[in-house]
């Protein structure tokens, strides 16, 4: 029972590099989302998806791209990494109903130098 | 828009002390309310939830009651343990303008329990 799986757990990038953070869930959840967590800022929504082929922007989308080609996968792409993107990134999913809680992955700690 | 306000931490307690973490919300609709807990190095996990007014969610000795009249969902535990040390997030889920349910989180409250 894997739940939400994020890879990698840790990543160090140089400014300007690009990379993809992977997220996969095996619960057939329609809703998937990406958050970043920074000290004192709580969780901030980057992008979300309510189903395959549908994505939308959250609170802090600049510098990030997403796609949702399958129900299971929701990768987050950093186009040109900046030090301001140093953070812990969490992927979360849910069935998409109002009273359904989110299921979180264990996070990816990203450092941009 | 929707918002969740939690008391700022850290909250520092001795083992067996009583815990209250305040949470109030603003919502345009009739939201479901949640408490999540984050242990060091892990993602958030659901602690408890309530979906309508006067519902009480409970789990692992923690409780919270959905108070519509005061728009609050305060987290309480009668006797905390060192293992309860974590960050606690209050959240709501409400239907957004596009019809989807988008969660809104508070900033989190760090709890430190000393032996």
């Amino acid at each position: 029972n894997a739940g939400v799986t994020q890879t990698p757990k840790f990543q160090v990038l140089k400014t300007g590099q690009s990379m993809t953070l992977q997220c996969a869930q095996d619960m057939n959840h329609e809703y998937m989302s990406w958050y970043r967590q920074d000290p004192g800022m709580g969780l901030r929504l980057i992008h979300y998806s309510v189903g395959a082929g549908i994505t939308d922007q959250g609170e802090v989308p600049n510098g990030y791209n997403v796609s949702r080609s399958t129900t299971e996968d929701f990768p987050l792409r950093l186009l040109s990494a900046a030090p301001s993107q140093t953070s812990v990134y969490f992927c979360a999913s849910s069935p998409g109903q109002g009273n359904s809680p989110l299921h979180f992955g264990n996070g990816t700690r990203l450092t941009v130098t | 828009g929707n918002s969740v306000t939690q008391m700022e931490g850290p909250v520092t307690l001795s083992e067996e002390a009583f815990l209250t973490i305040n949470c109030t919300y603003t919502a345009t609709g009739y939201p479901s309310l949640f408490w999540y807990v984050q242990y060091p190095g892990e993602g958030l996990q659901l602690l408890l939830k309530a979906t309508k007014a006067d519902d009480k969610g409970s789990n692992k000795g923690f409780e919270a009651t959905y108070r519509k009249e005061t728009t609050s969902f305060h987290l309480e535990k009668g006797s905390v343990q060192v293992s309860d040390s974590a960050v606690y997030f209050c959240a709501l889920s409400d239907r957004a303008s596009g019809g989807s349910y988008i969660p809104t989180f508070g900033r989190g409250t760090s709890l430190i329990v000393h032996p």
Side-chain angles (χ1 to χ4, degrees), chain B residues 2-77:
Chain B
N2 297 335
S3 67
V4 175
T5 303
Q6 292 181 235
M7 60 189 291
E8 290 195 19
V11 173
T12 304
L13 295 172
S14 297
E15 207 165 23
E16 299 184 1
F18 184 85
L19 168 71
T20 300
I21 300 178
N22 290 337
C23 171
T24 57
Y25 68 90
T26 302
T28 53
Y30 197 151
S32 294
L33 302 175
F34 305 85
W35 277 101
Y36 292 84
V37 59
Q38 183 181 30
Y39 299 105
E42 298 183 9
L44 281 70
Q45 57 186 273
L46 177 70
L47 181 59
L48 53 84
K49 72 176 187 180
T51 58
K52 62 183 188 296
D54 300 325
D55 266 1
K56 179 186 284 188
S58 61
N59 186 23
K60 300 180 181 178
F62 291 90
E63 294 182 339
T65 301
Y66 192 143
R67 300 289 186 200
K68 197 169 190 296
E69 65 276 14
T70 55
T71 61
S72 64
F73 193 53
H74 305 319
L75 183 68
E76 295 182 337
K77 187 175 185 182

Side-chain angles (χ1 to χ4, degrees), chain A residues 69-100:
Chain A
S69 56
T70 67
T71 299
E72 294 79 17
D73 300 298
F74 192 46
L76 179 72
R77 297 183 186 84
L78 279 69
L79 309 173
S80 177
S84 61
Q85 293 179 305
T86 293
S87 187
V88 181
Y89 291 85
F90 288 99
C91 180
S93 72
S94 84
Q97 303 305 310
N99 61 1
S100 302

Side-chain angles (χ1 to χ4, degrees), chain A residues 2-10 21-25 33-35 74 76 88-92 103-109, chain B residues 42-44:
Chain A
V4 178
T5 302
Q6 289 184 239
T7 56
K9 292 187 188 306
F10 302 94
L21 279 62
Q22 302 291 344
C23 175
Q25 53 91 8
S33 55
W34 278 101
Y35 291 88
F74 192 46
L76 179 72
V88 181
Y89 291 85
F90 288 99
C91 180
H103 297 252
F104 283 82
N106 280 330
T108 295
R109 184 174 294 275
Chain B
E42 298 183 9
L44 281 70

